[in-house]
Amino acid sequence: MTEVIRTALAMLRPNELPLDEGFTAAGVLLLLEGGRGDERILFQVRTHTVRHHQGEISFPGGRRDPGDASLLHTALRETHEEVGVPPEAVAVLGQLDDTVTRGSRYLIRPYVGVMAEGVQATVAARREVSALLSVPLAHLLDPQSRAWKVVDRDGQVEATPAYQYGEHLIWGATARILGQFLGLVEGVQR
């Protein structure tokens, strides 16, 4: 499956948004674990003590620090800080389209990587991450995992695409990034 994903990402020319449009730049990592047909995607459940997106499910990653050479560096650094996976244990396969969050005003640049065999993710930043979710890629590719989240945006109610995994609902920017990734994988598998 890793080669399918690598092929899908190689065909993509990611849409990169300008980094100076009043948004805070961030890098995240869609991190794959396992292999040979049992791939899983690593998510984190955010604590209720963080400033933005309390209790939500996200990819490891975060805000760009002044010392970060690139947003890829940000994604790898933050992944190490949050879930204990060092940069050298990640094979980066490619990049997805930038996305933004409306309320918190983040511009997110997502990367896709594969965790090296034998490496174990753990909750390394307890102030930011309350738990980890390792969700089978096959589950997320199943149309039965698709759901909707109703969101009230300043009095306007709208339904936004989401993914259900047990009691967990993956929505917002994370679901948009995940949706693009899954669409690429499905397109190559056909």
Side-chain angles (χ1 to χ4, degrees), residues 98-135:
D98 288 355
T99 190
V100 295
T101 60
R102 290 189 212 175
S104 55
R105 301 202 42 87
Y106 277 92
L107 182 151
I108 303 167
R109 182 157 299 156
Y111 296 90
V112 178
V114 177
M115 190 178 350
E117 242 180 89
V119 174
Q120 184 74 31
T122 60
V123 175
R126 296 211 175 274
R127 190 188 72 70
E128 299 177 46
V129 180
S130 65
L132 300 180
L133 291 177
S134 183
V135 182

Side-chain angles (χ1 to χ4, degrees), residues 1-2 4-9 11 30 32 39 41 96 112 137-138 141 178-190:
M1 178 63 80
T2 300
V4 168
I5 295 166
R6 189 184 311 272
T7 300
L9 290 167
M11 295 187 306
L30 187 156
L32 294 153
E39 291 84 4
I41 297 178
L96 297 168
V112 178
L137 179 57
L141 287 167
L178 181 59
Q180 182 190 16
F181 172 75
L182 296 174
L184 289 170
V185 172
E186 289 168 335
V188 171
Q189 285 182 329
R190 288 188 190 126

Side-chain angles (χ1 to χ4, degrees), residues 66-87:
D68 291 342
S70 66
L71 287 174
L72 174 57
H73 182 266
T74 300
L76 293 168
R77 175 186 53 76
E78 286 278 343
T79 297
H80 189 210
E81 291 173 7
E82 293 174 346
V83 300
V85 177

